[in-house]
Amino acid sequence: MSGDGIISTTDLNLWYREKHALQSVSMRIPKNKVTALIGPSGCGKSTLLRCFNRLNDLIDHVKITGKITFDDHEIHAPGTDVVLLRKKIGMVFQKPNPFPKSIYENVSYGPRVHGVRDRETLDRIVEESLRHAALWDEVKDRISDSALGLSGGQQQRLCIARTLAVGPEVILMDEPCSALDPIATAKIENLIEKLREEYTVIIVTHNMQQAARVSDYTGFMYLGKLIECGKTVQIFEHPAEELTENYITGRFG
Amino acid sequence: MREELLKTNFLEGTLVKSFTIPLSALTRSATHARYSLLKEKSIQTVFFSTAFFAVIVVTFILLFLVRDGYPVFTQVGILDFLFGPDWAPTASEPLYGIFPLIVGTLLVTLGAMVFAVPLSIGCAIYIAELASPRAKSILKPAIELLAGIPSVVYGFFGLIVLTNFIRVAFDLPTGETWLAASVLLGIMALPTIVSVSEDAISSVPHEFREGSLAIGATRWQTISRVLVPAALSGIAAAIILGIGRAIGETMAVMMVAGNAAIVPDPVWNILSPLRTLTGTLGIEMGEVAVGSDHYHALFGVAIVLLVITLGINLAAVAILRYLNEGRVASAAKKPFFSARTRARILFAAGTLGFSLLLLILTAAPPYLAALVLFGGGGWYMVRPFIPENRVQQIAFVFIGLATLIVLAILIIILQDIVINGLPALSWEFLTTSPLDSGRAGGIFPAIIGTLDLVVGAIAIALPLGVGAAVYLVEYTQEGRMTQVIRTGVDLLNGTPSIVFGLFGFAFIVLYLGIGVSMLAGQITLALMVLPTVIRTTEESLKSIPMALREGSLALGATRWQTISRVVIPPALPGILTGAILSIGRAAGETAPIMFTAVVFSSRFLPDSVLDPVMALPYHLFILATNVPGSSMNKYGTALVLLLLVVSFYAVAIAARTHFQNKMRG
Ligand SMILES: Nc1ncnc2c1ncn2[C@@H]1O[C@H](COP(=O)(O)OP(=O)(O)OP(=O)(O)O)[C@@H](O)[C@H]1O
Ligand SMILES: [Mg+2]
């Protein structure tokens, strides 16, 4: 894979108790590009994604070996500031998970926990994040209403705005459109299109067309292994592995 | 079409050119990072301490019981203590054999279960499977109300109404008998068994129900052959919890059992008086000389009692936990016992039921015995020839009957106390001090004393309990330490309230030298409700979706920020509901405060937390058992206590329903 790697893994293995969920995964995520992770259900895409911001720390009985670096820092090194890591690597989840608070509070939550107190700064961050997430026009008159009153697609864009508000360098997206209808999906895809100018995006998706549309690079996973990884055009048009070709063309089973 | 969609959306997006978040405001210096790490660590330590507190309390309870009970084992000898046939601690040649007390405890509990189990399971089946949503919305709170009635009020009702009924019905000199105690304890165990069994039946996966109905089984066949077997281990746990509740009960049983320390003769004579372990403690602890042999013997009794109840409660907890794990861990682990285990359980239950039947038959008049025997035998013969829908009708009649009986019990108790208590209620009754040993005057100091006690108790228990729950749910990975803490909480939960009373007396009153005082009562009550606070808080924390925590952590919030800003606010209603329930429970308890905090009569309010107080439950207890006459004031006190406790429960239940609806809506 070419380009500057911002995140890379070397011989990464992960076990949930006895379940060997990631098997010797080595990959490099290029900076300021969109990388898609595809593969059949249960192959370990979410698990891999959650390794990058160490969210798997929350799960009991997880064992990890191998190396993950972010900006040349090893993220499992002792003394790593996980809080700072997660600030720099934001995440958008499969199901929108706005906090049961107002829209404003949702977006300002991140800056607040990172110590921004000044009301004007917060106002500006909220507005810019919402604009950036293409949600501002839809919610600007109801910014103090509960976020739970938004539609699913709006909630997901709110979660993206919430992530943008802490100024991350990388954004992880785990099937961000799977709970959304085609119109909302198109909005999110547009958003990703814009985000790639300033951020590194890693997106998990089950939708081949979506992967082809939005990503520069694609990794194909199967049963916990990274089978193939490269430029999206290449993966989709001339995959090196037969497994990849079968999956992409839908001849699988 | 698709292309167009994309295009319009693209144009519609209004992107600010450059994104200008002041990153300087967001970056952390190394010192700041270290400081915040330190802060997290100290917060975690605080929470750990609160959680570990439960373990410390259990250790101390054991330690002090053993310290004060040990001498009896060395002097009398363990075997002579446990199996000695005579309990005569005040005789000139004192005898400390607790065999009749152990037998009494077991018999009373057995009788209570014979009464409660069929009614409870019938009622649980009705609520889970047959009741309309409306009926359900009446029945469930009714059952909780039954659970909320203080035990001293049950005892009072038993003493005045139930024993009298038994005396007349069986033509006895006194109605204070094993039968009275068992019926009363059965009623008190009902709510526990009903609600836990109902939970177990309701949570049998829907597919089982549909699968059975889809192959043409009747509803009754589905219930009796699929649902109840699937819920069997849950029902077993419910019964064990009910047993634990019955064995640990003091006040009610002590007021109606007659308290003769004898083994009934013959042993199935349910009309004989008897005496339980708890009753012995309740009666004698108040009058014993500290440090005497008798004193040590009473602590020996408490140890035996504790061992029995803890064993029972741990069994129930193990079963429930096994079930819950089975449910989440894998779908393959079905909620059924293996066929062999089930056969064994059924065999044991059958044998037990049959011997009980015999037992009751020998005690009952012969025509009744004949009726039951012929009825049962006849049913067994004709059963195969009756169409399934007729069987279903018959079964449903019995189930409905069980439910009606439960409701009737509730109504009888409430109406008796309300009708007889209302005339006593007056402004004067509520606001003046008692006169003439409580026969006249009011109960003002008792009301205030009870409020003092519960407010203090909850002020102590709430921070500790919430802290422990936060630690258990939010901070730990399941491991050995959480196991230890959870076991500590379970043990505390299974400890009979009279044992808390003894511990409070030995440790707080005597050892710490605080004396019989409001403070000692508050601490004792706090320890007693601590497990409830922990449990309910845990439940409400667990009900907050993991996704919210992940969302917050993924933004780089610390654990404490996540807990305090994202997790606790929505969990607050649940936590407060638990607190209110605990207040209700504490307000109605007598046994823990009997030796630690109360005086019977006091014209004045306490000056400080180091003074003893009056309390409603204790006042009622003394009026009912030691003060003849004054029937109106007794009922008045019972009604006020009932109203006080029930209003706490009502608030808690209403709040919970409100917030549940809000969550769903
Ligand atoms: N908390 C967990 N405990 C145990 N096993 C887990 C856990 N989370 C995931 N797994 C297992 O690890 C494997 C990989 O899961 P993962 O969620 O990463 O798959 P995925 O590729 O994201 O699937 P999907 O496309 O369905 O989201 C699966 O077999 C899953 O069952
Ligand atoms: Mg996934």
Side-chain angles (χ1 to χ4, degrees), chain A residues 16-17 19-22 39-48 59-60 62 94 174-175 204 206 221:
Chain A
Y16 295 110
R17 292 182 193 269
K19 164 105 196 154
H20 198 173
L22 291 179
S41 191
C43 67
K45 307 177 295 292
S46 302
T47 304
L48 179 59
I59 300 171
D60 292 349
V62 166
Q94 176 167 4
D174 192 351
E175 300 182 49
V204 168
H206 275 286
M221 295 184 66

Side-chain angles (χ1 to χ4, degrees), chain B residues 224-483:
Chain B
S224 61
R225 307 205 183 158
V226 179
L227 300 182
V228 171
L232 199 59
S233 37
I235 295 175
I239 296 174
I240 298 179
L241 283 176
I243 293 177
R245 172 107 173 76
I247 288 189
E249 174 54 38
T250 307
M251 302 315 290
V253 90
M254 170 172 137
M255 290 165 83
V256 302
N259 297 322
I262 52 169
V263 174
D265 177 37
V267 76
W268 56 79
N269 179 10
I270 51 173
L271 299 177
S272 154
L274 45 65
R275 174 189 268 231
T276 61
L277 293 167
T278 52
T280 306
L281 295 177
I283 295 163
E284 295 174 12
M285 192 61 205
E287 286 149 17
V288 72
V290 174
S292 63
D293 287 353
H294 186 189
Y295 178 83
H296 295 308
L298 289 181
F299 275 85
V301 169
I303 294 174
V304 174
L305 174 66
L306 193 63
V307 168
I308 297 177
T309 46
L310 293 189
I312 286 171
N313 278 286
L314 285 185
V317 167
I319 293 180
L320 280 176
R321 197 162 285 161
Y322 166 81
L323 276 182
N324 284 335
E325 262 165 28
R327 226 174 264 148
V328 274
S330 68
K333 212 181 196 176
K334 290 194 197 88
F336 291 99
F337 283 127
S338 73
R340 247 176 80 200
T341 324
R342 199 158 79 228
R344 242 182 255 152
I345 292 179
L346 288 180
F347 179 74
T351 321
L352 198 70
F354 189 69
S355 18
L356 284 173
L357 190 68
L358 281 184
L359 220 146
I360 293 168
L361 290 182
T362 41
Y367 61 88
L368 202 74
L371 199 74
V372 171
L373 275 185
F374 280 114
W379 171 252
Y380 189 75
M381 309 263 283
V382 297
R383 167 72 177 80
F385 305 105
I386 304 178
E388 282 305 330
N389 54 357
R390 188 48 54 81
V391 175
Q392 164 159 320
Q393 274 174 5
I394 297 171
F396 284 3
V397 165
F398 275 105
I399 291 174
L401 213 59
T403 313
L404 282 181
I405 293 176
V406 172
L407 273 183
I409 290 172
L410 177 67
I411 291 170
I412 289 173
I413 296 178
L414 290 186
Q415 67 88 28
D416 179 61
I417 289 172
V418 171
I419 289 180
N420 291 303
L422 269 183
L425 288 200
S426 66
W427 182 243
E428 211 198 327
F429 185 65
L430 295 177
T431 55
T432 59
S433 295
L435 298 169
D436 186 19
S437 301
R439 287 187 192 87
I443 52 171
F444 181 65
I447 297 178
I448 297 300
T450 288
L451 292 179
D452 280 341
L453 286 172
V454 297
V455 167
I458 206 68
I460 298 169
L462 197 60
L464 286 171
V466 171
V470 167
Y471 181 77
L472 284 173
V473 177
E474 304 293 334
Y475 277 102
T476 53
Q477 309 228 330
E478 290 298 321
R480 186 160 298 163
M481 191 38 86
T482 48
Q483 279 280 307

Side-chain angles (χ1 to χ4, degrees), chain B residues 64-83 86-87 89 94-98 101 281 291-304:
Chain B
F64 269 81
L65 289 189
V66 170
R67 187 188 82 137
D68 282 352
Y70 176 73
V72 78
F73 294 115
T74 54
Q75 270 167 31
V76 181
I78 289 194
L79 287 184
D80 284 342
F81 183 65
L82 289 179
F83 297 109
D86 291 299
W87 175 260
L95 290 168
Y96 301 106
I98 64 168
L101 311 180
L281 295 177
S292 63
D293 287 353
H294 186 189
Y295 178 83
H296 295 308
L298 289 181
F299 275 85
V301 169
I303 294 174
V304 174

